[in-house]
Coordinates of all heavy atoms in Angstrom, one line a residue:
I19 N 14.0 8.8 -7.2 CA 13.0 9.7 -6.6 C 11.9 9.8 -7.6 O 12.2 10.3 -8.7 CB 13.5 11.0 -6.2 CG1 14.7 10.9 -5.2 CG2 12.5 11.8 -5.5 CD1 15.4 12.2 -4.9
A20 N 10.7 9.4 -7.3 CA 9.6 9.3 -8.3 C 8.5 10.3 -7.9 O 8.0 10.1 -6.7 CB 9.1 7.9 -8.4
M21 N 8.1 11.1 -8.7 CA 7.0 12.1 -8.3 C 5.9 12.1 -9.4 O 6.1 12.5 -10.5 CB 7.6 13.5 -8.2 CG 6.5 14.5 -7.8 SD 7.2 16.2 -7.5 CE 8.0 15.9 -5.9
P22 N 4.7 11.5 -9.1 CA 3.6 11.6 -10.0 C 3.0 13.0 -9.9 O 2.8 13.6 -8.7 CB 2.6 10.6 -9.5 CG 2.9 10.4 -8.0 CD 4.4 10.8 -7.9
T23 N 2.6 13.7 -10.9 CA 2.0 15.0 -10.9 C 0.8 15.1 -11.9 O 0.7 14.3 -12.8 CB 3.0 16.1 -11.2 OG1 3.1 16.2 -12.6 CG2 4.3 15.9 -10.6
M24 N 0.0 16.0 -11.6 CA -1.0 16.4 -12.6 C -0.6 17.7 -13.4 O -1.5 18.4 -13.9 CB -2.4 16.5 -11.9 CG -2.9 15.2 -11.4 SD -4.6 15.3 -10.9 CE -4.8 13.6 -10.2
G25 N 0.6 18.1 -13.4 CA 1.1 19.2 -14.1 C 1.7 20.3 -13.3 O 2.2 21.3 -13.8
S26 N 1.6 20.1 -12.0 CA 2.2 21.2 -11.1 C 2.8 20.6 -9.9 O 2.4 19.5 -9.5 CB 1.1 22.3 -10.7 OG 0.1 21.6 -9.9
V27 N 3.7 21.4 -9.3 CA 4.4 21.0 -8.1 C 4.4 22.2 -7.1 O 4.7 23.3 -7.5 CB 5.9 20.5 -8.3 CG1 6.5 20.1 -7.0 CG2 5.9 19.4 -9.4
K28 N 4.0 22.0 -5.8 CA 3.9 23.0 -4.9 C 5.4 23.6 -4.6 O 6.3 22.8 -4.6 CB 3.4 22.5 -3.6 CG 1.9 22.1 -3.7 CD 1.0 23.3 -3.9 CE -0.5 22.8 -3.9 NZ -1.4 24.0 -4.2
T29 N 5.5 24.9 -4.5 CA 6.8 25.6 -4.3 C 7.5 25.0 -3.1 O 8.7 24.7 -3.2 CB 6.6 27.1 -4.1 OG1 5.9 27.6 -5.2 CG2 8.0 27.8 -3.9
Q30 N 6.8 24.7 -2.0 CA 7.4 24.1 -0.8 C 7.9 22.8 -1.1 O 9.0 22.4 -0.5 CB 6.4 24.1 0.4 CG 5.9 25.5 0.8 CD 4.5 25.8 0.1 OE1 4.3 25.5 -1.1 NE2 3.6 26.3 0.9
S31 N 7.3 22.0 -1.9 CA 7.8 20.6 -2.3 C 9.1 20.7 -3.1 O 9.9 19.9 -2.9 CB 6.7 19.9 -3.1 OG 5.5 19.8 -2.3
V32 N 9.1 21.7 -4.0 CA 10.3 21.9 -4.7 C 11.5 22.2 -3.8 O 12.6 21.7 -3.9 CB 10.2 23.1 -5.8 CG1 11.5 23.4 -6.4 CG2 9.2 22.7 -6.8
M33 N 11.3 23.1 -2.8 CA 12.3 23.4 -1.8 C 12.8 22.2 -1.0 O 14.0 22.0 -0.8 CB 11.8 24.5 -0.9 CG 11.6 25.8 -1.6 SD 10.6 27.0 -0.5 CE 11.8 27.3 0.8
S34 N 11.8 21.3 -0.7 CA 12.2 20.1 0.0 C 13.1 19.2 -0.9 O 14.0 18.6 -0.5 CB 10.9 19.3 0.4 OG 10.3 20.0 1.5
L35 N 12.7 19.1 -2.2 CA 13.5 18.4 -3.1 C 14.9 18.8 -3.3 O 15.8 18.1 -3.3 CB 12.8 18.4 -4.5 CG 11.8 17.3 -4.9 CD1 11.3 17.5 -6.3 CD2 12.5 15.9 -4.9
V36 N 15.1 20.1 -3.3 CA 16.4 20.7 -3.5 C 17.2 20.4 -2.2 O 18.4 20.0 -2.3 CB 16.3 22.3 -3.7 CG1 17.7 22.9 -3.6 CG2 15.7 22.5 -5.0
L51 N 16.0 11.8 -10.3 CA 14.6 12.3 -10.1 C 13.8 11.9 -11.4 O 14.2 12.3 -12.5 CB 14.5 13.8 -9.9 CG 13.1 14.4 -9.7 CD1 12.4 13.8 -8.6 CD2 13.3 15.9 -9.6
K52 N 12.6 11.3 -11.2 CA 11.8 10.9 -12.4 C 10.4 11.4 -12.1 O 9.7 11.1 -11.1 CB 11.8 9.4 -12.5 CG 11.1 9.0 -13.9 CD 11.3 7.5 -14.0 CE 11.0 7.1 -15.5 NZ 11.8 7.6 -16.5
F53 N 9.8 12.3 -13.0 CA 8.5 12.8 -13.0 C 7.6 11.9 -13.9 O 8.1 11.4 -14.9 CB 8.4 14.2 -13.4 CG 9.0 15.2 -12.4 CD1 10.3 15.7 -12.6 CD2 8.2 15.7 -11.3 CE1 10.8 16.6 -11.7 CE2 8.8 16.6 -10.4 CZ 10.0 17.1 -10.6
Y54 N 6.3 11.9 -13.6 CA 5.3 11.4 -14.6 C 4.1 12.2 -14.4 O 3.5 12.3 -13.4 CB 5.1 9.9 -14.3 CG 4.3 9.3 -15.5 CD1 4.9 9.0 -16.7 CD2 2.9 8.9 -15.4 CE1 4.2 8.5 -17.8 CE2 2.2 8.4 -16.4 CZ 2.9 8.2 -17.6 OH 2.2 7.6 -18.7
Q55 N 3.7 12.9 -15.5 CA 2.5 13.7 -15.5 C 1.3 13.1 -16.2 O 1.4 12.7 -17.4 CB 2.8 15.0 -16.2 CG 1.7 16.0 -16.3 CD 2.1 17.3 -16.9 OE1 3.2 17.8 -16.9 NE2 1.1 17.9 -17.7
F56 N 0.3 12.8 -15.4 CA -0.9 12.1 -16.0 C -2.1 12.4 -15.0 O -1.8 12.6 -13.8 CB -0.6 10.6 -16.2 CG -1.6 9.9 -17.1 CD1 -1.5 10.2 -18.5 CD2 -2.5 9.0 -16.6 CE1 -2.4 9.6 -19.3 CE2 -3.4 8.4 -17.5 CZ -3.3 8.6 -18.8
S57 N -3.3 12.3 -15.6 CA -4.4 12.6 -14.7 C -4.9 11.4 -13.8 O -5.7 11.6 -12.9 CB -5.6 13.1 -15.6 OG -5.9 12.1 -16.6
I59 N -3.9 8.6 -11.2 CA -2.9 8.4 -10.3 C -2.5 6.9 -10.3 O -1.3 6.6 -10.0 CB -3.3 8.8 -8.8 CG1 -2.1 8.7 -7.9 CG2 -4.5 8.0 -8.3 CD1 -1.0 9.7 -8.2
S62 N -0.1 6.6 -13.1 CA 1.2 7.3 -12.8 C 2.1 6.5 -11.8 O 3.2 6.3 -12.1 CB 0.9 8.6 -12.2 OG 0.2 9.5 -13.1
R63 N 1.4 6.0 -10.7 CA 2.2 5.2 -9.8 C 2.7 3.9 -10.4 O 3.8 3.4 -10.2 CB 1.4 5.0 -8.5 CG 1.1 6.2 -7.8 CD 0.8 5.9 -6.3 NE 0.2 7.1 -5.6 CZ 0.9 8.1 -5.2 NH1 2.1 8.1 -5.4 NH2 0.3 9.1 -4.5
L66 N 5.7 4.6 -12.7 CA 6.9 5.0 -12.0 C 7.6 3.7 -11.3 O 8.7 3.5 -11.3 CB 6.7 6.1 -11.0 CG 6.4 7.4 -11.6 CD1 5.8 8.4 -10.6 CD2 7.6 8.0 -12.2
L80 N 11.9 6.1 -3.9 CA 11.2 7.1 -3.0 C 10.0 7.7 -3.7 O 10.3 8.6 -4.6 CB 12.2 8.1 -2.5 CG 11.6 9.2 -1.6 CD1 11.1 8.6 -0.3 CD2 12.7 10.3 -1.3
F81 N 8.9 7.4 -3.4 CA 7.7 8.1 -3.9 C 7.5 9.3 -3.1 O 7.5 9.4 -1.9 CB 6.4 7.2 -3.8 CG 6.1 6.4 -5.0 CD1 6.0 5.0 -4.9 CD2 5.8 7.0 -6.1 CE1 5.7 4.3 -5.9 CE2 5.4 6.3 -7.3 CZ 5.4 4.9 -7.2
L82 N 7.4 10.5 -3.8 CA 7.1 11.8 -3.2 C 5.9 12.4 -4.0 O 6.1 12.7 -5.2 CB 8.3 12.7 -3.2 CG 9.5 12.3 -2.4 CD1 10.7 13.2 -2.6 CD2 9.1 12.4 -0.9
D83 N 4.8 12.8 -3.3 CA 3.8 13.5 -4.0 C 4.3 15.0 -4.2 O 5.1 15.5 -3.4 CB 2.5 13.4 -3.2 CG 1.8 12.1 -3.6 OD1 2.3 11.3 -4.3 OD2 0.7 11.9 -3.0
S84 N 3.6 15.6 -5.1 CA 4.0 17.0 -5.4 C 3.5 18.0 -4.5 O 3.6 19.2 -4.7 CB 3.5 17.4 -6.9 OG 2.1 17.2 -6.9
D85 N 2.8 17.6 -3.4 CA 2.3 18.5 -2.3 C 2.8 18.2 -0.9 O 2.2 18.5 0.0 CB 0.8 18.6 -2.4 CG 0.1 17.3 -2.2 OD1 0.8 16.3 -2.1 OD2 -1.1 17.3 -2.2
I86 N 3.9 17.4 -0.9 CA 4.5 16.9 0.4 C 5.8 17.6 0.7 O 6.6 17.8 -0.2 CB 4.8 15.4 0.3 CG1 3.4 14.6 0.2 CG2 5.5 14.9 1.6 CD1 2.5 14.7 1.3
I87 N 5.9 18.1 1.9 CA 7.2 18.7 2.4 C 7.7 18.0 3.6 O 7.0 17.3 4.4 CB 7.0 20.2 2.7 CG1 5.9 20.4 3.8 CG2 6.6 20.9 1.5 CD1 5.7 21.8 4.3
Y88 N 9.0 18.0 3.7 CA 9.8 17.2 4.7 C 11.2 17.7 4.9 O 11.6 18.5 4.1 CB 9.8 15.7 4.2 CG 10.3 15.6 2.7 CD1 11.6 15.6 2.5 CD2 9.4 15.8 1.7 CE1 12.1 15.6 1.1 CE2 9.8 15.9 0.4 CZ 11.1 15.8 0.1 OH 11.6 15.9 -1.2
Y108 N 1.3 11.9 7.1 CA 1.1 13.3 7.0 C -0.4 13.6 7.2 O -1.3 12.8 7.0 CB 1.6 13.8 5.7 CG 1.2 12.9 4.5 CD1 0.0 13.1 3.8 CD2 2.1 11.9 4.1 CE1 -0.3 12.2 2.8 CE2 1.8 11.1 3.0 CZ 0.6 11.2 2.4 OH 0.2 10.4 1.3
K111 N -6.0 17.0 4.5 CA -6.0 18.5 4.3 C -7.3 19.1 4.8 O -8.1 19.6 4.1 CB -5.9 18.8 2.8 CG -4.5 18.4 2.2 CD -4.5 18.8 0.7 CE -3.3 18.4 0.0 NZ -3.3 18.8 -1.4
N147 N -2.8 10.4 7.5 CA -3.1 9.6 6.3 C -2.6 8.2 6.3 O -1.8 7.8 5.5 CB -2.6 10.4 5.1 CG -3.4 10.0 3.8 OD1 -4.5 9.5 3.9 ND2 -2.7 10.2 2.7
G173 N -0.9 6.3 3.1 CA -0.8 7.1 1.9 C 0.5 7.0 1.2 O 1.5 6.8 1.9
A174 N 0.6 7.1 -0.1 CA 1.8 6.9 -0.8 C 2.6 8.1 -1.1 O 3.5 8.2 -1.8 CB 1.6 6.2 -2.2
G175 N 2.2 9.3 -0.5 CA 2.8 10.5 -0.7 C 4.3 10.6 -0.2 O 5.0 11.4 -0.8
L176 N 4.7 9.8 0.7 CA 6.1 9.7 1.1 C 6.3 8.3 1.5 O 6.0 7.8 2.6 CB 6.4 10.6 2.3 CG 7.8 11.0 2.6 CD1 8.0 12.2 3.5 CD2 8.6 9.8 3.1
M177 N 6.9 7.6 0.5 CA 6.9 6.1 0.6 C 8.3 5.6 0.1 O 8.7 5.9 -1.1 CB 5.8 5.5 -0.1 CG 5.9 3.9 -0.2 SD 4.5 3.3 -1.2 CE 3.1 3.6 -0.1
E228 N -5.9 3.4 -4.3 CA -4.8 2.9 -5.0 C -3.6 2.6 -3.9 O -2.9 1.6 -4.0 CB -4.2 3.7 -6.1 CG -3.1 4.7 -5.8 CD -3.6 5.9 -5.0 OE1 -4.8 6.2 -4.9 OE2 -2.7 6.6 -4.5
V252 N 6.1 15.8 8.8 CA 5.8 15.8 7.3 C 4.6 16.7 7.1 O 3.6 16.7 7.8 CB 5.5 14.3 6.8 CG1 5.3 14.4 5.3 CG2 6.6 13.4 7.2
G253 N 4.7 17.6 6.1 CA 3.7 18.5 5.7 C 3.0 18.1 4.5 O 3.5 17.5 3.6
H254 N 1.6 18.5 4.4 CA 0.8 18.2 3.3 C 0.2 19.6 2.9 O -0.6 20.2 3.5 CB -0.3 17.3 3.8 CG -1.0 16.6 2.7 ND1 -2.1 15.8 2.9 CD2 -0.8 16.5 1.3 CE1 -2.5 15.3 1.7 NE2 -1.7 15.7 0.8
V255 N 0.7 20.2 1.8 CA 0.4 21.5 1.4 C -0.9 21.5 0.6 O -1.2 20.7 -0.3 CB 1.5 22.1 0.4 CG1 1.1 23.5 0.0 CG2 2.8 22.0 1.0
G256 N -1.9 22.4 1.1 CA -3.2 22.5 0.5 C -3.7 23.9 0.5 O -3.0 24.8 0.8
D257 N -4.9 24.1 0.0 CA -5.5 25.4 0.0 C -6.5 25.5 1.2 O -7.3 24.5 1.5 CB -6.3 25.6 -1.3 CG -5.4 25.5 -2.5 OD1 -4.3 26.1 -2.4 OD2 -5.8 24.9 -3.5

Side-chain angles (χ1 to χ4, degrees):
I19 303 170
M21 181 175 287
T23 81
M24 293 187 182
S26 64
V27 182
K28 296 293 186 182
T29 302
Q30 300 95 318
S31 299
V32 174
M33 295 168 65
S34 289
L35 266 178
V36 172
L51 177 62
K52 192 172 188 64
F53 290 97
Y54 192 71
Q55 179 179 327
F56 199 68
S57 59
I59 190 61
S62 296
R63 295 201 191 283
L66 289 166
L80 175 64
F81 266 119
L82 292 173
D83 279 1
S84 59
D85 57 357
I86 295 294
I87 58 175
Y88 48 88
Y108 40 89
K111 295 181 185 179
N147 203 21
L176 199 163
M177 177 181 286
E228 97 285 346
V252 183
H254 200 187
V255 182
D257 298 319

